[in-house]
Amino acid sequence: MNYHFQAHRQVRRNLLEILQNTSQKDLMLIPDGFNNNIYWNIAHTVATQQLLCYYLSGNPFRIDKYWIETYKKGTLPNLNVQQSEVDDLAFLLTETSKILMKDYDADFFADYTSYTTSFGLDLKNIQDAIIFNNMHESLHFGYVMAQKRAILGEGF
């Protein structure tokens, strides 16, 4: 699983770089042809990781439930995000990746409720969830890059 944790940290670094190097105005802008914004996509990855790994294993979330309720699948972007929340998200991008690895190494995920994703994949254990989560976060990283290009043009 070391490779999968390494991949997760890299996707999170890529998301963090965009979060920290994009203006707040551009983070909140919903480009034509999209139904959400860069900020929502990044926050959604944090919320979904908690649901796939912690909720389905019967464990408590490692983040405030606010993030889950506000950015889970089916939510709409909040266009009135303060800089302090952007800073909190930057922290969570790094920390939730580290915590997941520590919890995995501590056998925190002994139980797991099987779940079929909207992508059509069955998750039967925490290993499946971690691998699928990487794919999910990479998909949203792709959306973020497409949104940034839509906002800034081909120069990005």
Side-chain angles (χ1 to χ4, degrees):
M1 290 298 293
N2 284 339
Y3 176 80
H4 299 291
F5 286 117
Q6 180 183 358
H8 187 246
R9 284 190 307 274
Q10 186 59 52
V11 172
R12 291 289 182 91
R13 280 192 290 270
N14 294 343
L15 290 168
L16 180 63
E17 182 178 337
I18 288 177
L19 181 68
Q20 292 178 326
N21 294 308
T22 303
S23 73
Q24 188 158 345
K25 176 182 169 257
D26 288 346
L27 287 173
M28 300 307 143
L29 182 65
I30 300 174
D32 290 341
F34 293 90
N35 62 0
N36 53 42
N37 55 31
I38 292 171
Y39 185 82
W40 183 91
N41 275 286
I42 296 172
H44 173 72
T45 64
V46 172
T48 300
Q49 179 224 34
Q50 294 292 300
L51 289 164
L52 291 173
C53 296
Y54 291 88
Y55 177 77
L56 290 173
S57 65
N59 287 304
F61 296 130
R62 296 300 202 200
I63 62 175
D64 191 281
K65 202 169 185 177
Y66 162 82
W67 293 95
I68 311 297
E69 294 303 320
T70 308
Y71 298 105
K72 67 184 176 184
K73 182 179 176 178
T75 60
L76 298 173
N78 174 4
L79 301 178
N80 189 25
V81 172
Q82 302 302 313
Q83 182 61 45
S84 60
E85 186 177 314
V86 176
D87 296 342
D88 289 346
L89 179 57
F91 175 80
L92 290 175
L93 278 170
T94 301
E95 290 305 305
T96 56
S97 185
K98 291 177 189 174
I99 292 167
L100 177 65
M101 189 169 66
K102 287 178 184 173
D103 286 344
Y104 180 83
D105 287 343
D107 291 326
F108 194 65
F109 304 102
D111 295 323
Y112 197 85
T113 302
S114 293
Y115 175 73
T116 301
T117 69
S118 58
F119 198 79
L121 289 174
D122 294 327
L123 308 181
K124 295 181 170 116
N125 54 49
I126 190 60
Q127 292 84 4
D128 291 350
I130 290 168
I131 293 166
F132 176 76
N133 185 67
N134 283 352
M135 186 172 72
H136 175 261
E137 291 193 15
S138 296
L139 173 91
H140 283 278
F141 177 61
Y143 274 113
V144 164
M145 290 191 309
Q147 289 173 323
K148 191 139 182 169
R149 280 192 188 95
I151 293 167
L152 300 177
E154 291 300 316
F156 169 68

